[in-house]
Amino acid sequence: MASTLPVLCLLALVSLSAADKCTSIDSSTNCRCEVGNSGNGLDLTQVKQQFQAIPDPKTGQTYAWGPCTNDLNLPDSCTPANDPAICQQDGGTTYLVGKYTQADYETDVSKESTVITYTGGDDSRVGKITLTCSKDDPGTATFVKEDPTLTYNLAYTGKYGCLVGVGTGTGSPVTKPSGGGGSGGGSLSLGSILTIVFFSLLVVYFVVGVIIMRFARGAQGTEMIPNRDVWISVPGLIKDGALLIVSPCRGQGNYEKV
């Protein structure tokens, strides 16, 4: 029974970290993608030049975001020839932060949220923008922070962050089914499938374990819990792990001097 624990833990980690890839489907604009084979995805063709001066209040720098071909036409390295998607304007100088031709889309279907990572910027700059769906709202783009160094994080909330039927190219928000049946928008993401598999295996693990402990080994009460000692030790292990991480930051090392 103990041999099933690593498998369950691995499934838990995978299900928590899994994200759906949104794959580019339009080489002419470089800003339409489809999530899996669902027929739904992002259509950013209407963003155009709406977000050209996104301020960073702390530094006075501004940022421009244009996810499609020829959306941005700024000085220095942010001319259309360099495929700019995010640019940084610092005083009289403009820096390329990331290219739309080097974009990676990851979508959380359940939250209708997508993180786009743009690479290929000047001096290894990287741009990230998190899109969150807000239907019928043109939306706003904001600068969030530079973290880590030379990685610039932006956020956008509005209709362009909503999943649409990319097969039609109309840009209309997808209508999610309210009841049973349906297709397209109602399909399960990879993360949802792995979560269902994980909890199903967890239930089987406990049910089969209890049956074996009760009828094969004659256990009663809490002794019927499979690997009881392991589960009892979990809270203590979590506490020890947390203290191990926090103690160096608080200057409370437990090492003895030699």
Side-chain angles (χ1 to χ4, degrees), residues 35 74 134 148 182 206 254:
V35 180
L74 300 172
S134 179
F206 276 106
N254 293 324

Side-chain angles (χ1 to χ4, degrees), residues 186-207:
S187 59
L188 291 176
S189 66
L190 175 61
S192 299
I193 293 172
L194 291 174
T195 300
I196 293 171
V197 171
F198 165 69
F199 283 107
S200 298
L201 289 176
L202 189 63
V203 170
V204 172
Y205 163 78
F206 276 106
V207 171

Side-chain angles (χ1 to χ4, degrees), residues 1-9 205 227 230:
M1 193 65 62
S3 61
T4 62
L5 285 174
V7 176
L8 293 173
C9 292
Y205 163 78
N227 298 299
V230 173

Side-chain angles (χ1 to χ4, degrees), residues 48-69:
K48 299 186 182 299
Q49 299 175 356
Q50 296 185 48
F51 307 105
Q52 296 283 297
I54 306 167
D56 176 1
K58 292 184 178 180
T59 65
Q61 298 169 341
T62 59
Y63 295 82
W65 172 52
C68 303
T69 303

Side-chain angles (χ1 to χ4, degrees), residues 51-246:
F51 307 105
Q52 296 283 297
I54 306 167
D56 176 1
K58 292 184 178 180
T59 65
Q61 298 169 341
T62 59
Y63 295 82
W65 172 52
C68 303
T69 303
N70 296 328
D71 276 356
L72 298 182
N73 187 4
L74 300 172
D76 302 322
S77 57
C78 275
T79 61
N82 291 322
D83 307 329
I86 296 180
C87 295
Q88 178 191 53
Q89 296 172 295
D90 187 3
T93 305
T94 302
Y95 299 97
L96 176 64
V97 174
K99 301 182 177 185
Y100 59 73
T101 53
Q102 297 183 32
D104 180 74
Y105 295 73
E106 290 192 351
T107 300
D108 185 331
V109 176
S110 63
K111 297 179 180 178
E112 276 202 86
S113 176
T114 299
V115 177
I116 310 176
T117 301
Y118 299 103
T119 55
D122 292 339
D123 302 318
S124 300
R125 282 173 167 81
V126 174
K128 289 188 177 183
I129 184 165
T130 301
L131 312 182
T132 303
C133 175
S134 179
K135 292 179 174 62
D136 302 320
D137 178 6
T140 56
T142 57
F143 178 80
V144 180
K145 60 182 177 179
E146 178 185 354
D147 183 31
T149 303
L150 295 181
T151 296
Y152 302 93
N153 297 271
L154 289 78
Y156 165 83
T157 300
K159 62 183 181 180
Y160 303 123
C162 300
L163 297 180
V164 299
V166 292
T168 63
T170 60
S172 301
V174 172
T175 302
K176 294 184 178 180
S178 58
S183 59
S187 59
L188 291 176
S189 66
L190 175 61
S192 299
I193 293 172
L194 291 174
T195 300
I196 293 171
V197 171
F198 165 69
F199 283 107
S200 298
L201 289 176
L202 189 63
V203 170
V204 172
Y205 163 78
F206 276 106
V207 171
V208 174
V210 167
I211 292 173
I212 292 175
M213 296 297 289
R214 177 67 181 91
F215 296 103
R217 302 186 181 181
Q220 296 182 353
T222 59
E223 293 181 352
M224 292 190 298
I225 300 175
N227 298 299
R228 175 176 174 271
D229 292 339
V230 173
W231 295 110
I232 290 176
S233 67
V234 167
L237 293 173
I238 294 174
K239 177 183 177 182
D240 291 343
L243 290 175
L244 181 64
I245 295 172
V246 173

